[in-house]
Amino acid sequence: QVQLVESGGGLVQAGGSLRLTCAASGGTFSSYNMGWFSQAPGKEREFVAALDWSGGRQVYADSVKGRFTISRGNTSETAYLQMNSLKPEDTAVFYCAAGAPFGHTGVGAYRYWGQGTQVTVSS
């Protein structure tokens, strides 16, 4: 059973950057494809980015292409979402997830979820 914990969220001005971290424990996180999702107030959880188990393939939502980068850490139990050029519309709770076929954008496909970290972008 993989446990995921996100960190790194906070309040940032538009145009700023944040790096989110997903820390895994309890299983072989390095063998799972993983993804990041976001959920804004009153909206459904939506796909942001996905990374395959090796870290060699990435998929991004159109809204974040060129601004966000998903990666794995040097240790096999961490992953990151580097977010640059943040916009007020990026404000949401961001979730780390694992255990789906690579690049899958559906919430239901992911087996493991973290509790989320709040990202707030002020204008």
Side-chain angles (χ1 to χ4, degrees):
Q1 185 79 5
V2 175
Q3 291 85 44
L4 304 175
V5 178
E6 304 91 338
S7 62
L11 174 63
V12 63
Q13 289 188 330
S17 299
L18 284 174
R19 188 176 79 160
L20 305 184
T21 299
C22 177
S25 62
T28 53
F29 181 64
S30 59
S31 66
Y32 288 105
N33 301 317
M34 58 87 56
W36 285 94
F37 287 73
S38 67
Q39 187 166 17
K43 294 187 177 182
E44 294 186 351
R45 194 170 300 186
E46 61 183 23
F47 172 79
V48 174
L51 184 69
D52 77 345
W53 67 271
S54 72
R57 295 183 293 169
Q58 304 91 36
V59 175
Y60 296 94
D62 288 343
S63 60
V64 307
K65 281 181 182 177
R67 300 189 298 124
F68 290 10
T69 303
I70 188 173
S71 63
R72 287 194 183 270
N74 290 331
T75 69
S76 60
E77 304 306 312
T78 56
Y80 303 105
L81 184 68
Q82 177 68 42
M83 306 187 296
N84 298 330
S85 302
L86 283 161
K87 305 175 182 180
E89 51 264 44
D90 293 322
T91 295
V93 177
F94 281 73
Y95 297 89
C96 172
F102 169 65
H104 209 293
T105 61
V107 170
Y110 287 80
R111 183 175 180 183
Y112 304 108
W113 290 87
Q115 294 301 307
T117 185
Q118 175 70 47
V119 171
T120 303
V121 184
S122 64
S123 57

